Amino acid sequence: MDIVTEAKPETIVLKGRKVVAGRAEGEALVTSETISGWGGINERTGTVIERRHEMRGVSFAGKILVFPGAKGSSGWSAYFHMTRLNGVQPQAMIFTRMTTKIALGAVVTRVPAITELDQDPLSVIETGDWVVIDADAGTVTVTKKKSA
Amino acid sequence: MKLTDYEKAMYDGEHGRAKARAMDLLVRYGEALGAERLVETNNVAGAFNASTPSVQPIAEKGMEHVYSELNLDSDEVVEVPHMVAHTCQLITGIDNDNWELQGVDKSLVDMQRKNEKFLGRRGVNMFATCTPYQVGNVPVKGEHCAWMESSAVIYCNSVLGARTNVEGKESTGAAALTGRIPYWGFHITENRRGTHLVELDIEVDDMMDWGLLGYYIGEVIGEDIPVLKGTSHQPDLVKLKHFGAAAASSGGVEMYHIPGITPEADTIEEAFGGRKVKDTFRYGAAERREAYEKLQSATEKKVDFIMLGCPHNSIDQVALIAHMLENRKIHPDVQLWVHTPRAIKQVAERNGYLDAIKEAGGVVMSDTCPAISRRLPQGTRVIATDSAKQAHYLPAITGVEGWFGSVRDCVDAALTGQWNGRA
């Protein structure tokens, strides 16, 4: 289903479950690939470093990170924890697959986080869209970027 | 989340600030998961060590700061009491004896040693290995644990039948002080049943066979639960250690069943426990070949560094390497590091294995590994290893080229300086 229409900016509201409380807004950074913490990101720059990752070299610092979730080592939370201490954490996390890695990681990164959305965020949200996440209300409001 | 009266008292600070902060983290984490309650645990394996440059600025303020921030996610700096659960330290970044060879700065070694003293007095047992089940922490079937380290988690769930999720630095820190962890995932019986059937068409016998099988399965099923059918040979600790580590590297496998061998299923039916089989796939010569080729990231035949012992070697593995190296010398352009838990290294020393390896020009390392420490012999460009996990991670983390093969192929490369491995 392609709900994006041309020209006019469009707003879509998704409903989901709070993982970490809070509200944030910003530009979306969307990847269809899970992210590794230990061995997958540079915790000083917030950049994905995994070889063959579609986001390799891209920083999630200050972005609304939209992704399937976590993979890899049990050091996931510790590495995202360090991004917060270094001030390069994402502003919020929207994800689709719950695991202990992503749950603990979102908690210690201390950013609003949401999952179990009623539409697939990975297909509804595109990189560059403006996203308002209100985790307590369980809503994600997406304003599509203007098409060029 | 529902808390018992005792948990509520800890949460409210009646048992001290550290436990209050630990409960705060466990409640936030449990609610994030959607867990209904916590479960008691008396077996924690975590990463409490301070051995990296990024920890140094925190450690300089005092070790309470390290535990509060990194093991409890607490802004409040709390005094750290004695652990209430049996707790051990997993692998660290520094070999306390061979740190110079690793190229570690002395100030980091001092920090790690100071931190160990702090933790040791508080009941964190310094196993310093990724394989706590080889050196005395062998949980029994059904025991609720809070473990980190993916290769240890899959061994704990599958081979021992104990129950743990992949925990993190903060959740193990909180579990050690409270004896609690969220009741979620693999703590719950229904979640432990098989999802995929893997039919083996070829013999799977030696350690390399098991590593390749694990690597193939992880890549295919990601985080699901495989059930193996048609195993030709009885595996042992070493083979399942390698199988699990490989499956947890290429995928995120945390549990598997080998009916008749692993403790939670005697039959295929019992392994699935009424759960619908998501998919069935076969593993034959072509699949084995595919896994083997995926693990090779090198083209240069001349090797610089041989890494053995990931996950940390058993005493039998150390003995085999010593035997193969007896009265021989490794190639002058090659470095050979063999990794084993410190407790096993002591046995190896008494047996004379350490001398045999040393006299051949190799080094026996403990407490760490190159993937965790990110430290290799200087100038390393091409490595060879008998570990699918290390072959998966080391090239990605450090940029070296990697060969994967049997322990014999690796020792041969150490002696000749050339890779001649075969699938």
Side-chain angles (χ1 to χ4, degrees), chain B residues 191-366:
Chain B
N191 298 335
R192 301 174 62 81
R193 293 177 177 146
T195 60
H196 288 67
L197 186 66
V198 187
E199 296 185 349
L200 306 182
D201 290 339
I202 50 170
E203 290 195 1
V204 175
D205 185 11
D206 66 14
M207 199 184 89
M208 181 163 118
D209 288 341
W210 281 97
L212 290 170
L213 175 63
Y215 200 73
Y216 181 82
I217 289 175
E219 181 115 359
V220 173
I221 72 168
E223 290 178 338
D224 281 315
I225 304 174
V227 178
L228 305 194
K229 184 184 173 187
T231 42
S232 54
H233 296 75
Q234 168 76 32
D236 59 14
L237 180 154
V238 169
K239 292 168 187 176
L240 294 183
K241 168 164 73 84
H242 276 258
F243 170 73
S249 300
S250 58
V253 182
E254 296 171 27
M255 169 111 203
Y256 59 85
H257 297 280
I258 310 176
I261 291 172
T262 55
E264 293 189 35
D266 281 330
T267 62
I268 303 267
E269 293 66 40
E270 204 184 343
F272 286 102
R275 207 185 232 191
K276 196 170 170 290
V277 181
K278 271 197 206 168
D279 199 8
T280 298
F281 58 92
R282 311 193 76 83
Y283 178 81
E287 289 75 19
R288 185 184 186 279
R289 181 88 217 174
E290 188 186 320
Y292 182 83
E293 272 158 18
K294 276 198 176 131
L295 281 165
Q296 316 299 339
S297 61
T299 48
E300 170 64 55
K301 294 272 183 188
K302 192 178 173 307
V303 297
D304 314 302
F305 175 51
I306 314 297
M307 189 284 165
L308 301 175
C310 163
H312 276 172
N313 270 352
S314 71
I315 188 67
D316 308 300
Q317 290 177 286
V318 178
L320 176 64
I321 296 162
H323 175 71
M324 288 192 284
L325 289 174
E326 193 120 45
N327 300 321
R328 306 179 81 172
K329 290 269 184 238
I330 66 171
H331 192 275
D333 298 341
V334 176
Q335 307 242 32
L336 166 70
W337 291 359
V338 180
H339 301 77
T340 193
R342 187 159 290 275
I344 291 179
K345 184 176 172 180
Q346 200 170 35
V347 179
E349 187 170 16
R350 292 180 75 169
N351 272 60
Y353 304 150
L354 222 59
D355 282 344
I357 293 170
K358 236 189 258 174
E359 281 158 21
V363 181
V364 176
M365 310 273 285
S366 291

Side-chain angles (χ1 to χ4, degrees), chain A residues 7-26:
Chain A
K8 65 172 184 190
E10 184 191 353
T11 298
I12 305 159
V13 180
L14 294 80
K15 297 277 285 177
R17 179 176 79 79
K18 172 187 81 173
V19 174
V20 177
R23 187 186 177 284
E25 61 181 291

Side-chain angles (χ1 to χ4, degrees), chain A residues 56-77:
Chain A
R56 188 179 185 201
V58 177
S59 173
F60 50 68
K63 305 285 187 191
I64 309 286
L65 184 58
V66 186
F67 63 137
K71 70 165 174 185
S73 153
S74 55
W76 209 92
S77 64

Side-chain angles (χ1 to χ4, degrees), chain A residues 48-114:
Chain A
V48 173
I49 57 166
E50 185 183 344
R51 288 175 159 204
R52 303 200 303 263
H53 198 286
E54 65 180 14
M55 256 175 46
R56 188 179 185 201
V58 177
S59 173
F60 50 68
K63 305 285 187 191
I64 309 286
L65 184 58
V66 186
F67 63 137
K71 70 165 174 185
S73 153
S74 55
W76 209 92
S77 64
Y79 269 72
F80 274 82
H81 191 153
M82 292 302 287
T83 66
R84 171 170 64 78
L85 298 181
N86 294 329
V88 293
Q89 76 278 21
Q91 258 204 74
M93 294 186 192
I94 298 171
F95 61 92
T96 55
R97 208 182 61 224
M98 179 55 86
T99 59
T100 49
K101 287 170 207 160
I102 185 77
L104 183 61
V107 162
V108 304
T109 309
R110 300 190 195 167
V111 292
I114 204 161

